[in-house]
Amino acid sequence: MNEPLESRLRQHLASVDAAAVADIPTMTASSRRMADRLRRRHRATACIASVGLISIGAIAVWSNRADAPSIIIASTDDAVSTAATEPVPDGSTTTATSDTPTSIPASSAWADIAPDPRGVAQYPSVVWTGTEALVIGGVDNDRQPVAGAAAYDLAAGGWRRLADPPELSIDPLVAWTGTEMLVIGGTQVDGSPTKSVGFAYDLASDTWRSIEGVISFVSTTTPSAWTGDELLMWPSGAGQISMAYSPRTDTWRKLADAPVAPRAQGASVWTGTEWVVWGGLTTGTDSPTELADGAAYNPATDTWRLIAKSPLSARKAPGVWTGTEMIVDAGSVGGDRATGNNTMALADGAAYDPATDTWRSLTSGPAHPGFVPVWTGTQMIMFAKDRAFTYDAPTDRWPDDCCGNDEGGGGGATRTAVWTGSTVLLIGSFGAEAGGVTFTPPDPTPVHPTPIQPSTTAADQPVPSTDAPVSCTDRAAAEPDLDVAEEPDWRGFADYRDWTRDGCLVRIDVLAERPGPEHCAMQSARVIATGSPVGARYTNSSDDMEYVRDPNNVFLLDQLFDADATLPDDAIATGYRSEGTQLWIVPDDDSSIYLVQADRVERWPRAEPPMCS
């Protein structure tokens, strides 16, 4: 049985820690097929991450050789390029940036923390109490378990030793209950089966207590969730059962059988009412495979439900909970379970909304097989090898120029990350000079694009807010000048495409998209008509503006459509959406509009399509 190796995957990835994070532009520097797109910086990097690594079958191979590791790209045109992945200088862009780049400054800050009093500790298990990080476990540079436990006080910048735990453990599952740190299972140095041990640390009394009846095959890779009352977990060994532990009563209970297979290394979040698990790796076999399904468990009713099919392929990938969605990003497939060799790093992502049981695709970002994600309340930060990549959820963008650390002293792959409310604390190090680092992310708030108020009344007064919690029909009836339906009777004419704002259908005398006339063989072109300014009503006379998508130039226009555009830095979102497409404009410039999708930006020029008979 090779099951214990699974739970030690994170620690063994230290053997490839010399490999830099996949630098997407470097990976494709010698590819003639991508050369032209690299000149379009913001467009190309996202395309390479989502298309280069997925659609054209690109494979990022990670090796633990002592010489400089390489990223190997195998494309469909049989062109193979190999580029040494040297460490990237601080401040350079290594992410696969999105089609909609922000101008968020790299004002982040890294700082070393004092050395761990227990000595060098890679991959310790960490919980955040609100003021301190409680730290247990980890291995030293000889792969031996680190004894003892310690607490790091972020405000004071210092450590203190805690009472010694009852046993040593590598990679245990840990959780903070509000008063205790629960420590369940873990692995042993020789790779033997996961321990069936458990104990809890009481912060107020600096004492430990044993937890009886602990199940086996639990470690840090075990899907788990703290509900506020119970620790839910899905062991990977014999029996294939999911369990819950209540520290209040010191009892265990078996959960109802899940509708999907047991797994490890998958996304696992607590929503406040449900435990959602997706993806991961099958367990209990010598030939595990990645999974692309998931389920949600409700402890109040002791029931599971299948969740909707994800747009993501099967993979090992962690997840974060934003308060409304579970974000799953990047991850990996393949590779040796113990060393991580030959792992293919993925770059796409998606978000799952349990309220509607729906997924939405995210803009592709950087690729690395061992990302550690942290949710800050507004951003997801992905850590790997002394680099941080910030994902701005409100705008679905990966900002440029963030965020390298050349002063980290130890290698970020050895660390466990927790969000403290103001900074990310990454505990763990290869060297004795520091016990880890802190990372303060850049603040995205001042530069979030603000959706414009799309429409005005006939008296040129601002439209009343549409944020009130009423239905779209009630909104339209109460405020007849709003841009939402009640619809004109002529909506069905000419095959209009539906657009929405704030979840409500937009009137076609505010924003109308239609194909070119079929009887003149102009169906390959599309036209968007909007009011002036965007969001105002129009009557197909002098108060409308028309924008054209004409890839074949069937209209014989002078202004050409650009299918591979770069979004201007001063562009803003209008709030109008249609089937994953967002409408962006540049204020005070009505010469073009920009349609932003997950994998491209299109520029539609303003033009007047000719009539046809």
Side-chain angles (χ1 to χ4, degrees), residues 114-120 146-147 149-152 158-162 435:
D116 188 329
R118 304 176 305 141
V120 172
V146 177
Y152 179 76
W159 292 83
R160 63 185 178 90
R161 291 295 296 257
L162 305 180

Side-chain angles (χ1 to χ4, degrees), residues 336-482:
D336 183 87
R337 296 174 68 192
T339 67
N341 289 352
N342 302 316
T343 296
M344 176 178 170
L346 305 176
D348 55 339
Y352 172 72
D353 182 346
T356 60
D357 191 31
T358 57
W359 291 82
R360 62 184 180 88
S361 296
L362 307 180
T363 298
S364 293
H368 187 274
F371 272 127
V372 177
V374 173
W375 177 251
T376 71
T378 57
Q379 301 177 83
M380 179 178 67
I381 308 178
M382 306 280 276
F383 291 95
K385 309 172 112 45
D386 282 320
R387 292 201 65 83
F389 302 90
T390 62
Y391 171 74
D392 187 41
T395 58
D396 186 28
R397 296 199 268 182
W398 295 87
D400 291 342
D401 302 324
C402 191
C403 305
N405 173 32
D406 292 336
E407 307 295 334
T414 66
R415 302 189 179 117
T416 303
V418 293
W419 174 245
T420 69
S422 61
T423 189
V424 182
L425 185 57
L426 297 108
I427 303 290
S429 179
F430 276 142
E433 70 278 5
V437 295
T438 60
F439 172 75
T440 303
D443 182 7
T445 303
V447 292
H448 279 166
T450 302
I452 64 169
Q453 293 295 329
S455 61
T456 58
T457 65
D460 200 30
Q461 296 297 317
V463 171
S465 170
T466 60
D467 293 333
V470 297
S471 71
C472 297
T473 300
D474 290 343
R475 281 165 48 183
E479 302 288 346
D481 287 329
L482 289 180

Side-chain angles (χ1 to χ4, degrees), residues 286-596:
D286 292 334
S287 300
T289 58
E290 287 80 16
L291 300 166
D293 60 356
Y297 173 76
N298 186 330
T301 58
D302 189 30
T303 56
W304 290 85
R305 65 177 178 86
L306 284 170
I307 66 174
K309 181 177 174 57
S310 171
L312 299 178
S313 59
R315 68 192 62 200
K316 304 182 288 285
V320 296
W321 175 247
T322 71
T324 57
E325 294 179 313
M326 176 180 71
I327 294 180
V328 181
D329 200 87
S332 64
V333 295
D336 183 87
R337 296 174 68 192
T339 67
N341 289 352
N342 302 316
T343 296
M344 176 178 170
L346 305 176
D348 55 339
Y352 172 72
D353 182 346
T356 60
D357 191 31
T358 57
W359 291 82
R360 62 184 180 88
S361 296
L362 307 180
T363 298
S364 293
H368 187 274
F371 272 127
V372 177
V374 173
W375 177 251
T376 71
T378 57
Q379 301 177 83
M380 179 178 67
I381 308 178
M382 306 280 276
F383 291 95
K385 309 172 112 45
D386 282 320
R387 292 201 65 83
F389 302 90
T390 62
Y391 171 74
D392 187 41
T395 58
D396 186 28
R397 296 199 268 182
W398 295 87
D400 291 342
D401 302 324
C402 191
C403 305
N405 173 32
D406 292 336
E407 307 295 334
T414 66
R415 302 189 179 117
T416 303
V418 293
W419 174 245
T420 69
S422 61
T423 189
V424 182
L425 185 57
L426 297 108
I427 303 290
S429 179
F430 276 142
E433 70 278 5
V437 295
T438 60
F439 172 75
T440 303
D443 182 7
T445 303
V447 292
H448 279 166
T450 302
I452 64 169
Q453 293 295 329
S455 61
T456 58
T457 65
D460 200 30
Q461 296 297 317
V463 171
S465 170
T466 60
D467 293 333
V470 297
S471 71
C472 297
T473 300
D474 290 343
R475 281 165 48 183
E479 302 288 346
D481 287 329
L482 289 180
D483 58 358
V484 298
E486 302 286 329
E487 269 299 285
D489 294 336
W490 43 281
R491 180 177 187 88
F493 180 73
D495 191 21
Y496 286 97
R497 179 186 182 188
D498 288 344
W499 283 81
T500 63
R501 186 170 66 89
D502 298 332
C504 295
L505 187 67
V506 172
R507 299 176 59 96
I508 54 175
D509 52 0
V510 171
L511 179 65
E513 181 186 344
R514 61 185 182 274
E518 183 176 7
H519 63 277
C520 292
M522 293 178 174
Q523 285 280 290
S524 62
R526 297 194 69 82
V527 178
I528 286 180
T530 75
S532 179
V534 172
R537 294 279 186 91
Y538 69 93
T539 58
N540 287 319
S541 58
S542 59
D543 62 348
D544 80 329
M545 301 181 291
E546 294 190 340
Y547 297 90
V548 178
R549 185 189 195 278
D550 190 0
N552 300 327
N553 202 19
V554 294
F555 286 154
L556 301 177
L557 301 173
D558 293 332
Q559 301 91 340
L560 297 182
F561 158 76
D562 187 353
D564 193 17
T566 298
L567 192 71
D569 290 338
D570 54 349
I572 64 172
T574 64
Y576 293 116
R577 297 173 177 267
S578 180
E579 300 174 350
T581 300
Q582 303 177 43
L583 177 62
W584 288 59
I585 65 169
V586 174
D588 302 321
D589 180 3
D590 61 8
S591 63
S592 301
I593 58 174
Y594 297 85
L595 271 66
V596 177

Side-chain angles (χ1 to χ4, degrees), residues 232-288:
L232 310 178
M233 64 198 80
W234 204 342
S236 58
Q240 313 290 2
I241 57 175
S242 49
M243 300 289 293
Y245 172 71
S246 169
R248 179 176 51 82
T249 60
D250 191 25
T251 56
W252 293 81
R253 69 178 178 91
K254 180 182 178 297
L255 308 187
D257 291 338
V260 293
R263 62 203 59 210
Q265 302 182 52
S268 176
V269 302
W270 173 248
T271 71
T273 57
E274 288 186 314
W275 174 30
V276 181
V277 181
W278 181 88
L281 192 71
T282 58
T283 63
T285 68
D286 292 334
S287 300

